[in-house]
Amino acid sequence: MPVYRKRFRIEEVLMGDMPVPSAGDGDIGPMHSEIMAELRAIRAQMAGPPRGVVATGLGAESSPRQVADAQALLETYRAQIAQCEKLKVELDLIYDAINRTKREIAVLHGKSFNGEEMAKVNGELGAVVGGTEEATQQILEAAESIDQAATALSKVTSPDQQKLLSEEIQERVVSIFEACNFQDLTGQRISKVMATMKFIEDHITVMMDIWGGVDAIKAHAPPAVDTREGDARLLNGPRLENDAGHASQDDIDALFD
């Protein structure tokens, strides 16, 4: 069952069911008429701009100052909306960059940084070190045997002994050749490791490009500080052919001149 409530006097006036009292009705004066006129204007604006209302939402009878203020306010709103649109574009770019970076990190984690792949890389490097040590030991032993056989060969005069020593030298030479095969295996293992490192490098480069490139990243990089101490600070290992900052053999010889 619907419930009806009694409408207030102001509602009846706004809805047009009751005439607006004039200035002579009791003690209602011009202030009441002004208030009612403002309420009608508010009600008209809430109902939608009727015919004859300008784009600012003011009536045609509005004063030039009101129109100018409304237009200035409208321009301010438009400028704020334009700034918000620019901000949204920038935020969309940042959001896209973050998503792309997350995808690159996910690929790296799935293809390179997980335990299985890193264990494989470590295994390959360990095999390189172990194979190199074993081959080096075999070559040194063969060279030592050749030296001993050559020394003995120069002292014996029996043809049979000379033949035995010569055959031993030949066997040791073959042993050296066999040991040198480690280079092929080492090259294959290093190629696998380099492929993994190249894969990581490519995706890291893509992430740096997402955030402005190498120069932009370097601008935020902290200064490099060498924390090594003692001999470790002086020893840098073998240098590459084009490395800078290393003393050449000519520099060392010049110190003794």
Side-chain angles (χ1 to χ4, degrees), residues 11 21 52 57 60 70 96 101 135 183 185 210 219 228 230:
E11 293 179 317
D96 180 66
T101 304
Q183 294 182 348
L185 296 177
I210 290 173
R228 297 176 300 173

Side-chain angles (χ1 to χ4, degrees), residues 7-225:
R7 290 192 300 178
F8 294 99
R9 179 183 179 88
I10 185 64
E11 293 179 317
E12 294 176 349
V13 172
L14 290 175
M15 298 299 295
D17 297 337
M18 181 178 292
V20 180
S22 62
D25 293 341
D27 53 356
I28 300 177
M31 181 62 70
H32 180 271
S33 299
E34 184 177 351
I35 293 174
M36 298 309 299
E38 294 293 337
L39 290 176
R40 288 192 187 93
I42 295 174
R43 183 171 176 268
Q45 293 181 7
M46 294 177 61
R51 182 177 301 175
V53 176
V54 297
T56 57
L58 298 175
E61 70 279 2
S62 301
S63 65
R65 180 180 179 83
Q66 290 177 323
V67 173
D69 291 343
Q71 289 178 344
L73 183 61
L74 182 60
E75 292 298 327
T76 301
Y77 287 158
R78 288 176 178 172
Q80 291 177 349
I81 291 173
Q83 292 295 328
C84 290
E85 290 177 349
K86 292 181 180 179
L87 179 60
K88 183 180 182 302
V89 171
E90 296 296 330
L91 291 176
D92 288 341
L93 292 175
I94 295 175
Y95 179 79
D96 180 66
I98 291 175
N99 280 339
R100 291 167 60 192
T101 304
K102 289 167 65 176
R103 286 195 296 268
E104 296 295 332
I105 293 175
V107 172
L108 286 175
H109 183 270
K111 299 291 185 180
S112 298
F113 290 140
N114 59 1
E116 181 180 355
E117 191 68 24
M118 284 294 101
K120 185 183 297 184
V121 170
N122 291 333
E124 295 290 350
L125 292 176
V128 167
V129 174
T132 303
E133 291 178 352
E134 182 179 353
T136 302
Q137 185 65 28
Q138 183 176 347
I139 292 172
L140 291 176
E141 290 178 355
E144 184 178 359
S145 297
I146 291 174
D147 179 68
Q148 293 176 355
T151 302
L153 183 61
S154 63
K155 296 179 180 179
V156 297
T157 58
S158 172
D160 292 336
Q161 292 181 343
Q162 292 178 352
K163 182 179 179 181
L164 290 175
L165 291 174
S166 299
E167 290 176 352
E168 183 179 356
I169 291 175
Q170 290 177 350
E171 290 177 0
R172 294 301 182 177
V173 170
V174 172
S175 176
I176 291 176
F177 288 147
E178 291 176 350
C180 289
N181 290 332
F182 84 95
Q183 294 182 348
D184 182 53
L185 296 177
T186 298
Q188 295 179 24
R189 297 184 188 281
I190 292 296
S191 296
K192 294 180 181 180
V193 176
M194 291 300 296
T196 302
M197 295 297 104
K198 187 66 168 60
F199 178 83
I200 295 173
E201 180 186 7
D202 291 341
H203 284 275
I204 291 178
T205 301
V206 171
M207 284 190 285
M208 290 192 296
D209 291 338
I210 290 173
W211 295 103
V214 178
D215 293 336
I217 300 299
K218 286 182 178 179
H220 300 280
V225 178

